[in-house]
Structure formats: structure tokens, C-alpha cells
Amino acid sequence: MNVGLTSAILPANEAAVAAAARCLQAGGLVAFPTETVYGLGADATNAGAIARLYEAKGRPAFNPLIAHVGDLAAAQKIARFDAQAIQLAQAFWPGPLTLVLPKAPGCTVADLATAGLDTIAVRVPAHRIAREILRAFGGPVVAPSANLSGHVSPTTAAHVSSDLAGRIDLIIDGGAVEVGVESTIVGCFEAPMLLRPGGVPRGEIERLLGRALLQPPDDTDSDSGQPLAPGMLASHYAPRTKVRLNADRLEAGEVLLAFGPNVISGVRASDVMNLSARGDLTEAAANLFGYLRALDARGARAIAVMPVPHHGLGEAINDRLRRAAVGRE
């Protein structure tokens, strides 16, 4: 790992896609845009490359990684799909949905990527550049968010560079991402389970399946136990600044992460960023991590966060905010 050196940054184009594929094939680490957040890619079959990825992120080795593939056929080479999983894949892929499935016989994904579990998390991203890189590489790519573990997830190449410059080999700059929160993760167990809310709202999945999604056991959602899927550690997506949730006032030394048209009165414009002044949850999701990073850089005593509705994408937004606040409230 070239720690201390500058990571190459290339604009997203055909040459960058080819360079990314070559880097992955050589065991390198490549940050690239997906529709959710920027991912840090490594060859999913190369345990050495995955170990470098864990080291670059400072990520606990018991936290499993998502394998990204180009299409359903590629996913079926590494995971076993039942009828329900096929239904979900056909409805929401390509897109921000990850399925946790039993490993397929002969699955080539390294055990290090699955944290020793007999299941594998897999998804087909919708971002054009991500899919072109996967196609050029020709195999599964693990790609957790391209940031230091536990920090706010990156939605621009600049966010990636601020965390990982000199720790990874290549950054592909595809501009700001579209969705702005990570993928929804559904465990395809005997009964489907929502392991992490994200870019596909719970309600859309439940309507398709015709049943409610189960919730994971409480003991899988902590920093001490091994999670069933990526993104389930209790303290996650965290800025360095303390986060105070459900704020109805601004205290001395705080800055405000607002939502909706009715911002807390008496707050200076310079001390507030509004996820969506018109109360649009899609806009709020896209702005969430970028605004958290910007407010974190203010050096304030705390980031006060106004309530966000819990329906639709609001469930994913509130999940990320709750994890950002763990140990900082």
C-alpha cells in the first residue's frame, strides 16, 4: 500500500474504466461511483487485495463485504437463489438492493470477504461506470463505502480523497452520486429479513413479496457481535463531531442539520444546512452524507439534527443518523 503517496484520480471515461479493471486485476484498490455512494473496490476472489482493503479502511475483519457483479447470471455463480430471491433480483436489479444468500457450490469469493459466514451479500449496481468497470474486470468486486471505517460515507470523489488519499491506488471521479445512502440489505432466509434499510424503501419490497419483512435479532446490531450483513455495526457512518438527534432548538456552539421548510427559529444561516427545504426525502438522502461531512468540518461542539419523517427513504436516513450518533450523544 502506497501510504503517504497521492492516489491517482481519473475522470470517469473509457480510459478510466480500463485503468480500473487493470488495477483490480493486479490486486489494487479502486474507488468508483455507484448510484448509492462511492465504493472501494477490490477483487472479491483475492484475499490479499481484500486484506489491503480492510487495512486501508481500518475496517473490522468480522464485518462482511458486498460482492458487486454485473448481472443476475453472474450473481448466480456465487450465490444460491430461491424463487423469492429471483423475484427480488428481477424487480430491483440493477439498483440499490443487496441480497444476503447462501453461497453457491464452488463460490470463488474469498472467505475473508464474507467474514467466515456461509452466506454472501451480493448486488448489481445501477451506475453506468460501476457496471462498465465490472464488465471490463470480468469478476465479482467487493466494494464497501470508500471511506475510513465508521466515518461518513462518500458521495463525491473529493470525499474519497479526503479519507483515503495515499491509502488506495486509484479514484474514478464520476461526480456526485444519485441516491446518497447505501443499498437496502435483505436477508433471503426462511422468512425475508430487513438487515439494513437503504436505497429501496421497505414498503416497495413488502408490496412485491406480499408480506412484512422481519427485523434482525437485537444482538446482531452491536459493535461486539458479528453482524449478519455489512453496515450493521451500531456505531457507523459517524462524523468526528458529536451528533444530537431530534433537536427542536440549537444550543450554544452547535450547528444544525435541518429538514423541511420549518427550520428552528433564530438560527444563523451560516450555522445550518437543510437536507431538503421542501421536505423531499429523496433529496435529503442524496444530501445526507455530504452535509454531515460539511458540518463536521465546522469545528462545532455538536451537530444538532432536526427530526426526519420515518416513512419511505426516511427509514434509511434515520438509520444512518442513529448510527452516526452512537457514542456521541
Side-chain angles (χ1 to χ4, degrees), residues 1-3 6-10 16 19-32 39-44 46-59 65 112 133 137 141-148 160 164-172:
M1 184 181 304
N2 298 322
V3 176
T6 301
S7 303
I9 302 177
L10 299 177
R22 288 194 301 270
C23 186
L24 291 168
Q25 289 160 359
L29 303 181
V30 179
F32 58 88
L40 179 58
D43 179 353
N46 184 335
I50 296 165
R52 282 191 62 205
L53 185 151
Y54 280 127
E55 182 183 3
K57 281 180 61 69
R59 185 183 179 96
L65 303 171
L112 186 60
I133 290 172
F137 174 65
V141 172
V142 291
S145 56
N147 56 289
L148 292 173
V160 178
L164 299 178
R167 303 176 66 87
I168 64 176
D169 302 294
L170 181 61
I171 300 171
I172 306 300

Side-chain angles (χ1 to χ4, degrees), residues 186-261:
V186 171
C188 294
F189 309 132
E190 185 173 343
M193 180 180 292
L194 181 66
L195 298 176
R196 180 180 74 182
V200 178
R202 175 204 297 265
E204 293 185 20
I205 299 168
E206 292 180 336
R207 280 191 291 275
L208 177 76
L209 296 177
R211 62 190 301 181
L213 293 169
L214 298 182
Q215 290 295 118
D218 289 340
D219 60 1
T220 64
D221 193 21
S222 71
D223 283 341
S224 57
Q226 177 167 310
L228 294 172
M232 292 183 67
L233 294 179
S235 179
H236 211 60
Y237 316 107
R240 295 170 182 84
T241 308
K242 173 185 173 182
V243 174
R244 183 170 68 85
L245 302 179
N246 299 315
D248 57 7
R249 68 189 186 285
L250 197 66
E251 298 180 354
E254 292 185 333
V255 289
L256 179 66
L257 185 64
F259 177 83

Side-chain angles (χ1 to χ4, degrees), residues 109-172:
V109 172
D111 287 341
L112 186 60
T114 60
L117 300 173
D118 58 5
T119 56
I120 186 168
V122 61
R123 90 172 181 103
V124 178
H127 196 285
R128 178 180 62 84
I129 293 299
R131 299 190 72 195
E132 288 181 4
I133 290 172
L134 290 167
R135 189 178 304 115
F137 174 65
V141 172
V142 291
S145 56
N147 56 289
L148 292 173
S149 187
H151 284 194
V152 179
S153 298
T155 55
T156 68
H159 294 161
V160 178
S161 183
S162 70
D163 264 17
L164 299 178
R167 303 176 66 87
I168 64 176
D169 302 294
L170 181 61
I171 300 171
I172 306 300

